[in-house]
Amino acid sequence: MSTRTATVATEALKFRKEANTECGVYALLEEGKNLQIVEDEQVAEGWYKVTDGEDTGYVSAEYVNVERNYTHAESKEEEAARLAEEQRIREEEERR
């Protein structure tokens, strides 16, 4: 099992209500702020759906560093199944 974390990599990042630059902003996030990614892949090109522990919103992928954190070790079989599922999702998204 794993989670993904987005760390703000710019001086101030707008934490938005929707995945676009035309919508409202919850807050300005400081550099180094850690956010949990809610959906494993980008929800719209260039955007991650994240939570700061209180609100759920969106940040531009361009201004965050993303890393995967494992909460427990995977067996080889679990890893193979996860990788196969991730590949299936990528291929499905490419067909859209």
Side-chain angles (χ1 to χ4, degrees), residues 3-83:
T3 59
R4 291 180 74 195
T5 303
T7 303
V8 176
T10 188
E11 193 172 308
L13 178 62
K14 291 179 180 174
F15 183 32
R16 296 187 176 275
K17 295 181 180 184
E18 297 176 25
N20 65 65
T21 59
E22 305 299 318
C23 68
V25 174
Y26 285 120
L28 287 177
L29 304 174
E30 295 180 2
E31 186 169 7
K33 171 82 173 169
N34 290 319
L35 306 160
Q36 184 169 344
I37 296 177
V38 176
E39 295 182 17
D40 202 39
E41 299 296 324
Q42 293 180 19
V43 292
E45 189 170 326
W47 296 92
Y48 283 108
K49 185 174 185 179
V50 298
T51 181
D52 67 353
E54 294 179 24
D55 294 309
T56 299
Y58 301 86
V59 293
S60 171
E62 186 175 345
Y63 301 105
V64 294
N65 295 322
V66 175
E67 62 181 50
R68 184 175 297 276
N69 305 298
Y70 291 94
T71 55
H72 79 274
E74 291 180 302
S75 69
K76 288 184 179 184
E77 293 79 15
E78 290 171 323
E79 179 185 32
R82 178 181 54 78
L83 293 172

